[in-house]
Amino acid sequence: MRRLCIHTITTKPWSTEECIRNYSRAGAGGITFWRYNLEGRDPAAVGRQAREAGLEVTSLCRGGFFPASTAQDRQKALDDNRRCIEEAHALGAPLIVLVCGAVPGQPLDESRKQITEGIAAVLPEAEAAGVRLGIEPLHPMYADDRSAVNTMRQANDICDALGSPQMLGIAADVYHIWWDPELKEQIALTAERGRLFAFHICDWRTPTTDLLNDRGLMGEGCIPIRQISEWVDAAGFQGAREVEIFSSRWWSQDQHEWLEKITEAYRALYEIPAGA
Ligand code: ZN
């Protein structure tokens, strides 16, 4: 299960230390930290602790939220992204996932322009720190206030505009992009341009009762995860498959049992025998 990585938000009730200990015991190969995991802690020590437990630090979530209606607030966002880059560097995380942001009522193309400018402003610091930035296109239901980047194509356009194939790329999350009729081609194109940086998995429940916190475990919903995984692998991606599930429903249950369900679902999805 080398390619299984778990986002700490998936087991939100657990402390940073509990996540490290329990993911390692469950046989995961990687961990993606969320920034709240670093609060009151030394990021370098957290990274060391994870690696000593046999976990690769896959990425840090999240930077972004660049657009704002005032220059002052856009500056605040840049400052926060610079802090995020420092944290990722200290943690030993090679990648920051960007949830790019949007402002309700502000035209989406204006927000995308501010996102492009924001990424351009912090890219030199990311390069100097050796930390890559991965734009995560978000499902269009979040276009009002979470991200004006809603498709792989839009994310690729921003990457094209800014160059830097080494340091700027895309985090592809099945929850956000599974519906896209261009998905197969865009995954291939992203990989071909050397910028498919991350792959996130979970499922889409019907009905979805909460826009943010009702994601499903793989197999609970309608996303053709195996098919999308095959496209991702066929494009040459060999990185982690990151389980990222926001779910009030699962957070309210015993987290050890929840983690067991995650590993079972992962094994079933990728046909990995028990013990392997
Ligand atoms: Zn994601």
Side-chain angles (χ1 to χ4, degrees):
M1 295 212 290
R2 182 189 61 82
R3 292 181 73 181
L4 169 62
C5 163
I6 302 170
H7 280 233
T8 53
I9 193 100
T10 302
T11 55
K12 198 176 170 194
W14 275 345
S15 69
T16 307
E17 291 72 22
E18 285 173 309
C19 290
I20 293 172
R21 189 167 59 240
N22 294 319
Y23 297 176
S24 164
R25 271 191 205 144
I31 184 166
T32 280
F33 288 105
W34 277 58
R35 290 181 76 190
Y36 69 82
N37 292 119
L38 306 176
E39 278 164 24
R41 295 175 175 85
D42 170 15
V46 171
R48 206 159 46 235
Q49 206 182 333
R51 283 183 287 276
E52 280 170 8
L55 297 170
E56 201 174 304
V57 178
T58 308
S59 58
L60 178 61
C61 281
R62 61 195 183 207
F65 289 99
F66 295 106
S69 41
T70 67
Q72 196 186 2
D73 285 347
R74 289 195 290 278
Q75 183 58 46
K76 267 191 209 154
L78 295 183
D79 294 343
D80 185 59
N81 277 277
R82 291 187 172 115
R83 272 194 300 277
C84 189
I85 290 166
E86 282 169 21
E87 286 168 13
H89 177 71
L91 182 65
L95 174 69
I96 291 172
V97 176
L98 298 179
V99 170
C100 289
V103 179
Q106 174 167 285
L108 293 174
D109 53 359
E110 173 60 24
S111 287
R112 282 193 286 275
K113 185 171 150 273
Q114 292 178 1
I115 288 164
T116 308
E117 288 167 357
I119 294 172
V122 300
L123 203 48
E125 278 97 335
E127 281 172 350
V131 175
R132 303 197 292 179
L133 303 178
I135 299 172
E136 179 170 50
L138 255 54
H139 191 280
M141 71 177 170
Y142 301 117
D144 58 342
D145 65 349
R146 302 185 85 79
S147 186
V149 180
N150 308 108
T151 62
M152 296 282 282
R153 177 186 283 267
Q154 287 169 342
N156 267 309
D157 285 348
I158 293 175
C159 293
D160 285 343
L162 294 178
S164 189
Q166 307 298 320
M167 303 311 289
L168 179 62
I170 296 178
D173 184 326
V174 298
Y175 194 72
H176 299 299
I177 55 178
W178 68 276
W179 55 272
D180 185 347
E182 294 187 338
L183 187 55
K184 186 182 179 186
E185 293 73 20
Q186 286 292 323
I187 285 172
L189 182 119
T190 304
E192 198 181 290
R193 297 192 177 162
R195 56 169 85 123
L196 184 53
F197 287 176
F199 180 53
H200 299 174
I201 55 174
C202 67
D203 218 333
W204 183 284
R205 279 160 52 77
T206 306
T208 291
T209 58
D210 182 297
L211 295 188
L212 195 58
N213 294 324
D214 190 32
R215 293 193 186 195
L217 175 64
M218 299 82 75
E220 277 189 316
C222 61
I223 301 180
I225 309 173
R226 189 177 298 189
Q227 173 69 85
I228 299 172
S229 286
E230 282 169 12
W231 293 340
V232 163
D233 285 2
F237 181 81
Q238 296 180 332
R241 296 161 177 147
E242 306 180 40
V243 176
E244 181 192 31
I245 303 172
F246 311 94
S247 169
S248 308
R249 186 171 50 99
W250 287 114
W251 290 333
S252 69
Q253 320 247 335
D254 179 276
Q255 295 299 286
H256 289 282
E257 285 170 23
W258 170 219
L259 180 57
E260 215 166 284
K261 287 196 167 63
I262 292 168
T263 54
E264 273 167 25
Y266 183 85
R267 284 178 189 280
L269 178 59
Y270 295 108
E271 297 174 352
I272 300 168

